[in-house]
Amino acid sequence: VIKAIDSYSKELKEAGSSFEKLQKTVKTASVAASTAVLGFAVASIKVAADAEQVAFRVKRSFGNMSSSVMNFSSEMQKVTTQDGEVIAQSFVDLQRRTKSLGLSFQDQSKIIKASLDIAAKEGLDYTSVIDKISMGLIGQTKGLKDLGIKSCHPSLKLWVMYQEIKKAINTCSILL
């Protein structure tokens, strides 16, 4: 009987030890899960705040046309790997850089779409493509050459250069 009690006591201690190890593991897992949930919540709040900032910039830059910009961005997001906010911000940046050219919303939309097409076709970063094209529109043509777009001689008016870029973009869009 004493041996049986001794054996039972030993097994009970081992079970208690195993239970303590399990308890530590559960605590560690719950801390890790809490950290992951908190990280996700922070990231979600940041994404929402970034989206609001972009929407504000679009509204400030385009006024009544802001809903058209956001709708176009959402439509392009469906057919590309780019986020809608990235596309909407591209409109703001493009308009800011090329304000003196008086580009219409349709012209800007074609430039954005062609930039998305070029980036996808060539495996390039979209934001660098749109930056190079928008800089080319205002006379800084090195980026256009990197993209394979032939630009006009620098002494020609910017409008002529814009027409050349527009023609190249239309040709690229047709080919894609």
Side-chain angles (χ1 to χ4, degrees), residues 50-154:
D50 290 347
E52 282 300 313
Q53 287 178 342
V54 170
F56 175 76
R57 288 185 208 118
V58 168
K59 180 73 173 166
R60 187 177 62 204
S61 296
F62 289 91
N64 295 336
M65 292 290 296
S66 63
S67 61
S68 296
V69 170
M70 295 308 284
N71 289 340
F72 178 84
S73 299
S74 294
E75 288 301 312
M76 287 293 98
Q77 180 181 359
K78 293 176 186 174
V79 296
T80 69
T81 59
Q82 293 300 319
D83 188 65
E85 283 77 29
V86 171
I87 297 169
Q89 183 62 48
S90 297
F91 270 101
V92 173
D93 296 341
L94 182 63
Q95 184 177 30
R96 182 179 40 83
R97 285 187 184 136
T98 62
K99 197 170 202 151
S100 63
L101 296 177
L103 299 174
S104 69
F105 173 72
Q106 288 75 21
D107 289 338
Q108 290 178 0
S109 298
K110 287 179 183 178
I111 292 168
I112 298 287
K113 185 176 181 322
S115 298
L116 288 164
D117 290 345
I118 291 169
K121 180 178 177 244
E122 300 296 327
L124 300 171
D125 176 56
Y126 164 71
T127 53
S128 67
V129 171
I130 188 64
D131 286 345
K132 289 175 181 181
I133 289 176
S134 64
M135 296 305 285
L137 288 169
I138 58 171
Q140 298 176 7
T141 60
K142 182 187 179 322
L144 294 177
K145 292 174 187 167
D146 294 345
L147 296 174
I149 298 173
K150 182 182 173 187
S151 61
C152 297
H153 190 274

Side-chain angles (χ1 to χ4, degrees), residues 31-55:
V31 168
S34 298
T35 303
V37 168
L38 182 60
F40 179 75
V42 169
S44 296
I45 291 169
K46 184 179 178 341
V47 167
D50 290 347
E52 282 300 313
Q53 287 178 342
V54 170

